[in-house]
Amino acid sequence: MSARLGRFVTRRPWLVLSAVVVATVGLGLFVPRLEFQADYSLMLPKDDPVVEQYERTLDKFGAQSVFMVGIAAPNEGSVFELSSLHKLYAVTEELEELEQRGWLERVLSPTSVQVVEGREGEVVVSSVLPGLPQTATDAELFRDRVLAERQLRDTMVLADGSAALMVLRVHPDVEDREDILAEIQTRLEDMATRYEGPELFYITGDAPMLVHASRHMRRDLSLLFPVVVVVVSGVLLASFRLWRGVVLPLTVVLLAVVWTLGLMGATGYKLTMISSFLPVLLVAVGSAYGIHVMNAFFQRTRQGGPRERVVQDVVGDMLGPVFGAAFTTAAGFLTLLSSFLIPSREFGVFSAFGVGAAFVLTMALIPALLVLLPLPPARRGRGVVLWDRAADRLSGMLSRRPRRTLLAALMVLGGLLVGVPLLQVESDFSKYFHEDSSIIKGQRFVEEHFGGSQELRVVVETQRRDAFRDPEMLSFLVRLQEFLAAREEVGDTSSLADVVKEVHYTFRGDDPDYYRLPDTTRAVAQLLLLYELGGGEVLRSHVTRDYSTASVTARVRSVGMSGFAELQQDIDRFLAEELPPETGAYVTGAPSIYMQISRKIIQSQVVSLGTSLGAVWLIIAVVMGSLVAGLCALIPLVVAIGGNFGVMGYAGAHLDMATVMIASLSVGIGVDYAVHFLTRYRRLRSGGRPHCEALSETYRTAGRAILVNASTLTMGFLVMLLSSFGALVAFGWLITLTMVTSMLGALFILPAVLGMMQPAFLLLPFPFRRSGKRTDEPQGGGR
């Protein structure tokens, strides 16, 4: 097959080039259709029970996504000053226009929140002031009335006037419209720019986080992709010192990126926070195939011969090992289909397609271009000479002391594995941003002054109409709120019970003894009727129309997964002990989604790692015709992955939506080193070479290509340190580490194992060897 492919490509290069151009243009037309998606709630399947609860709550109680705007008064100043109040009123008025457009469901501002008053035996619900305060006396009246209201004091305005808060609830119809959320964010930023000074404005919430994530994804793609192209070009130039050694591998990966992104656009898939670095990965990984083919080509040219014959020999030598490497890499990526996270599955499919595209282009396009170009001058550079000398010394050392090498590796691995128990899982979306980003600064401000920047809901369900007109059911809501408010990570809470107590208190002449629930269902119904007749509206976020289901909303701080998990467990225990008979309840909101993602991350890690190791072992066993060969190829990977988890534990890096893929990707990418090393070493051993001599020749050929390959991957993945996402920065240096350790394992640990064990498969005929071809000819060992 390899011989036929070589003849076809060398005899019909223009046909190959035409086919590549047609495919590139056809798929490239769909690249502009590609969109971005940052919504964390879409990372889990629709039938996930936590997602179903989230959607059910959305239908019953409205949107769960919010924007929060915090306003800090100038030093020694107060938001109750007339100039600051004018800004507060102006901002609220502009935001209410977005409510009228149907983008926001409700604007909660100190200037517009409805408060309850008693006037001449009736209840009146109105804003704090009937209009914009015009004088210092009006401002003083505003201050007094705000501080007299429990629902405003220290929940929307601090008692000392140092800060105020506005909460904007996104309309349910646009909660999944990232374009509209982005427009709202832009409006808020524009208002902050216009009104800021001396006051400071802070914008945070789960909705702004989605917008910032989408922006960062676009920034990462526009920045990291050209940077990785430049970096890989530099590594290729330093390795080969010939322009075709740079241009041809780079052309392959750029076309593979176009094909992959075009396929995503054509099939309607979107770039997520995970798949946004897919182009970077394809450039780093896909270039390796071209590196090994070019390495073999330059080695062949030093032997002389006609151009067509040289190219045919390269195709014949490299098709087997490059196919094995690409197949195992694609298989490693496809094992992400076992992940419970939708973005991981999509990433697995399209990265596997990109690897396949890079393989096809490498074995078709590069040979077609090489046969059209004149042969480069045959030369043996100083770097090649130095590498050959190092190969002789290294092979001699490993041949004499294989046990010492393995013992040293085991000692290092043992020390790293001690750090594995320190590894923690994290899926709190806010942890993915840098600490100095505006969204995190806003979060810190709101949490420091108002208790929480995220909303958690406890939904209490009954099958009884008007259940929450019953004082006993309302009393349960009060006990639940008191339990939540006692938690350090919980700020303000609200429910229907707050409305009833406030109306009762007001109706009784602001007598503190009556800031409580009435004793009868009839009294509750009367108070709610008075509230509605006075101009108030029982909020949809508090209770359903038939009063059969209610919710308690709590602002919570971003305390990470361990903190959210502890809070969830304590709420579950409270509900188990206090929930009234024939009543159900569940906890929902962004923290619940985060925790479910964390649980799925752990399951995904175990399943994907097991399936990737199993799949790669089986593929190598089939390709090489030996189960033992498959096990040998896994040895460097097991060492690298075990060490990776240990380093993560020691460094405090979290297992999250990005880093959870490292193990599977490391198996798929890192196994290539072992595949090429085993391929070349086995050919030499089956051809009669002794261990030390075969090892030295393997280092000279495949070893050099592996080193260039590892350098390209290392530099390519290090580009991710420039990412806007903290999680992707961690992903970048961690997968770089595994690439380096996988390479060292293939060049040191694998040879030591082969030298000690001398497995029988090494002396068997190699499945990809062509008939009549000498096995001791210099080859590229390509990836």
Side-chain angles (χ1 to χ4, degrees):
M1 178 179 178
S2 58
R4 289 197 299 271
L5 177 62
R7 288 193 296 270
F8 177 82
V9 172
T10 56
R11 293 173 182 174
R12 298 177 178 83
W14 291 108
L15 178 61
V16 173
L17 293 178
S18 300
V20 170
V21 169
V22 170
T24 303
V25 172
L27 289 171
L29 292 174
F30 293 97
V31 173
R33 298 187 183 182
L34 200 57
E35 297 179 353
F36 293 81
Q37 176 180 289
D39 191 347
Y40 58 84
S41 67
L42 300 178
M43 294 181 179
L44 295 169
K46 286 292 185 182
D47 59 355
D48 185 277
V50 173
V51 175
E52 290 179 345
Q53 290 175 347
Y54 187 91
E55 294 295 332
R56 189 159 77 245
T57 305
L58 182 69
D59 292 338
K60 289 185 176 182
F61 298 103
Q64 300 193 64
S65 294
V66 297
F67 288 85
M68 292 184 177
V69 180
I71 303 174
N75 292 333
E76 307 300 328
S78 169
V79 295
F80 294 121
E81 295 178 2
L82 194 60
S83 60
S84 296
L85 286 180
H86 283 180
K87 292 182 180 180
L88 194 59
Y89 270 85
V91 169
T92 302
E93 184 177 353
E94 289 190 37
L95 292 175
E96 287 175 341
E97 293 177 5
L98 301 182
E99 185 178 352
Q100 295 170 4
R101 293 188 62 173
W103 289 2
L104 298 176
E105 185 177 47
R106 190 172 182 85
V107 176
L108 300 175
S109 167
T111 67
S112 62
V113 166
Q114 302 291 290
V115 296
V116 182
E117 296 180 276
R119 299 177 187 172
E120 300 179 356
E122 64 177 356
V123 171
V124 177
V125 183
S126 62
S127 57
V128 176
L129 288 181
L132 178 71
Q134 301 293 340
T135 65
T137 302
D138 292 342
E140 187 68 20
L141 178 61
F142 180 91
R143 175 184 178 279
D144 292 341
R145 296 195 64 182
V146 164
L147 297 184
E149 295 294 332
R150 293 178 180 85
Q151 62 176 320
L152 293 177
R153 185 180 63 247
D154 292 332
T155 61
M156 301 199 75
V157 182
L158 297 187
D160 62 2
S162 61
L165 178 69
M166 290 184 286
V167 179
L168 321 177
R169 294 197 174 279
V170 178
H171 196 282
D173 293 343
V174 302
E175 192 171 25
D176 59 351
R177 291 283 304 277
E178 293 188 18
D179 56 334
I180 293 181
L181 297 183
E183 179 63 25
I184 295 173
Q185 176 73 13
T186 301
R187 298 283 186 93
L188 291 177
E189 291 168 344
D190 174 66
M191 282 187 281
T193 300
R194 286 188 284 112
Y195 291 111
E196 201 165 41
E199 300 86 359
L200 297 178
F201 282 71
Y202 297 90
I203 303 170
T204 191
D206 53 354
M209 283 187 182
L210 295 183
V211 176
H212 276 266
S214 183
R215 288 177 179 176
H216 289 333
M217 285 157 53
R218 288 174 167 82
R219 173 193 174 277
D220 280 359
L221 187 58
S222 61
L223 171 65
L224 301 186
F225 183 65
V227 171
V228 76
V229 170
V230 172
V231 168
V232 169
S233 300
V235 175
L236 293 173
L237 182 60
S239 302
F240 295 121
R241 301 184 182 277
L242 289 170
W243 69 267
R244 71 184 71 188
V246 177
V247 173
L248 299 190
L250 207 56
T251 300
V252 163
V253 293
L254 293 179
L255 293 180
V257 169
V258 172
W259 287 16
T260 305
L261 297 183
L263 181 63
M264 292 185 71
T267 53
Y269 285 90
K270 300 179 181 180
L271 284 173
T272 65
M273 192 187 71
I274 293 175
S275 59
S276 62
F277 69 88
L278 181 58
V280 175
L281 179 136
L282 288 178
V283 171
V285 175
S287 62
Y289 307 136
I291 286 172
H292 288 284
V293 168
M294 295 306 299
N295 186 59
F297 174 74
F298 291 137
Q299 289 181 8
R300 282 286 177 182
T301 57
R302 290 198 289 268
Q303 300 175 25
R307 179 174 49 192
E308 290 77 7
R309 182 60 185 172
V310 169
V311 174
Q312 288 178 16
D313 286 345
V314 169
V315 174
D317 288 342
M318 302 309 301
L319 181 61
V322 172
F323 172 77
F327 193 24
T328 51
T329 299
F333 290 164
L334 286 175
T335 59
L336 291 172
L337 287 172
S338 63
S339 172
F340 293 92
L341 301 176
I342 293 176
S344 295
R345 297 181 202 168
E346 296 173 356
F347 177 85
V349 170
F350 288 106
S351 58
F353 173 82
V355 166
F359 163 73
V360 171
L361 289 165
T362 297
M363 299 312 303
L365 180 61
I366 290 181
L369 292 173
L370 288 176
V371 82
L372 294 174
L373 298 170
L375 287 175
R379 64 185 183 183
R380 185 177 175 84
R382 177 176 173 80
V384 176
V385 174
L386 293 176
W387 176 253
D388 288 350
R389 292 175 183 173
D392 291 338
R393 294 193 183 97
L394 189 58
S395 60
M397 181 191 72
L398 289 177
S399 298
R400 292 190 301 270
R401 302 183 182 89
R403 288 181 174 81
R404 291 186 183 182
T405 303
L406 290 179
L407 180 60
L410 290 175
M411 291 176 63
V412 173
L413 178 61
L416 292 176
L417 290 178
V418 174
V420 173
L422 303 176
L423 188 59
Q424 295 183 348
V425 178
E426 184 59 75
S427 60
D428 184 348
F429 206 47
S430 65
K431 305 298 183 184
Y432 289 24
F433 297 93
H434 292 296
E435 286 295 316
D436 60 349
S437 64
S438 61
I439 189 72
I440 299 302
K441 289 179 180 178
Q443 182 187 67
R444 286 200 297 265
F445 174 83
V446 170
E447 292 189 349
E448 178 183 348
H449 293 87
F450 298 99
S453 62
Q454 302 182 50
E455 284 199 352
L456 175 147
R457 285 179 188 261
V458 182
V459 177
V460 185
E461 299 176 308
T462 74
Q463 300 299 319
R464 182 162 54 95
R465 186 181 181 86
D466 292 330
F468 285 95
R469 296 181 190 268
D470 185 340
E472 290 187 8
M473 294 299 297
L474 292 173
S475 295
F476 170 73
L477 298 184
V478 173
R479 295 197 303 275
L480 176 57
Q481 286 182 258
E482 291 172 347
F483 166 79
L484 292 171
R487 303 282 307 201
E488 183 179 355
E489 64 268 47
V490 177
D492 179 49
T493 67
S494 62
S495 76
L496 176 65
D498 295 330
V499 176
V500 175
K501 289 192 294 182
E502 188 67 32
V503 176
H504 195 198
Y505 163 78
T506 303
F507 185 68
R508 293 291 184 169
D510 294 347
D511 185 344
D513 291 338
Y514 285 93
Y515 189 76
R516 58 176 175 80
L517 298 171
D519 298 326
T520 65
T521 300
R522 182 177 180 181
V524 171
Q526 289 176 337
L527 290 175
L528 291 173
L529 179 61
L530 285 172
Y531 179 74
E532 293 176 351
L533 291 175
E537 179 185 359
V538 177
L539 295 181
R540 178 190 178 192
S541 60
H542 285 160
V543 69
T544 55
R545 289 178 179 270
D546 62 359
Y547 285 82
S548 66
T549 303
S551 77
V552 172
T553 303
R555 290 184 199 157
V556 295
R557 293 180 175 85
S558 178
V559 291
M561 283 305 96
S562 58
F564 284 142
E566 182 180 348
L567 176 60
Q568 174 89 52
Q569 291 170 2
D570 289 346
I571 294 175
D572 289 341
R573 279 195 291 268
F574 175 87
L575 294 174
E577 296 172 0
E578 300 286 338
L579 200 63
E582 300 181 0
T583 304
Y586 61 86
V587 182
T588 188
S592 295
I593 297 291
Y594 296 155
M595 283 185 288
Q596 185 69 345
I597 291 175
S598 289
R599 288 189 285 266
K600 297 303 185 183
I601 282 175
I602 297 174
Q603 297 176 38
S604 295
Q605 182 66 90
V606 174
V607 174
S608 62
L609 179 56
T611 53
S612 59
L613 287 172
V616 167
W617 168 69
L618 182 61
I619 291 170
I620 296 177
V622 171
V623 170
M624 294 196 170
S626 169
L627 296 176
V628 177
L631 293 176
C632 289
L634 292 184
I635 291 175
L637 297 178
V638 173
V639 174
I641 293 170
N644 169 72
F645 286 135
V647 170
M648 289 179 69
Y650 282 125
H654 297 119
L655 197 62
D656 53 38
M657 286 180 287
T659 57
V660 72
M661 300 190 302
I662 289 178
S664 295
L665 298 185
S666 298
V667 171
I669 301 171
V671 74
D672 295 355
Y673 306 137
V675 168
H676 294 300
F677 195 96
L678 278 174
T679 299
R680 182 61 178 144
Y681 179 80
R682 180 179 179 180
R683 281 179 173 172
L684 294 167
R685 288 303 309 277
S686 63
R689 299 283 189 95
H691 170 66
C692 185
E693 185 178 334
L695 193 57
S696 177
E697 183 62 24
T698 302
Y699 279 134
R700 289 170 180 264
T701 53
R704 182 174 184 272
I706 288 172
L707 188 61
V708 176
N709 183 359
S711 300
T712 306
L713 286 170
T714 299
M715 297 304 295
F717 285 129
L718 282 177
V719 168
M720 297 182 69
L721 296 180
L722 301 175
S723 172
S724 305
F725 290 109
L728 293 189
V729 171
F731 176 91
W733 70 263
L734 283 169
I735 198 166
T736 296
L737 176 65
T738 58
M739 291 300 97
V740 173
T741 51
S742 297
M743 180 267 292
L744 293 176
L747 295 181
F748 289 89
I749 299 176
L750 181 58
V753 170
L754 296 175
M756 288 180 58
M757 295 177 54
Q758 292 294 316
F761 79 88
L762 295 173
L763 303 179
L764 298 176
F766 192 79
F768 288 103
R769 187 173 64 184
R770 293 177 294 166
S771 60
K773 177 173 173 58
R774 291 176 56 193
T775 60
D776 59 348
E777 293 179 32
Q779 301 169 40
R783 182 174 186 260

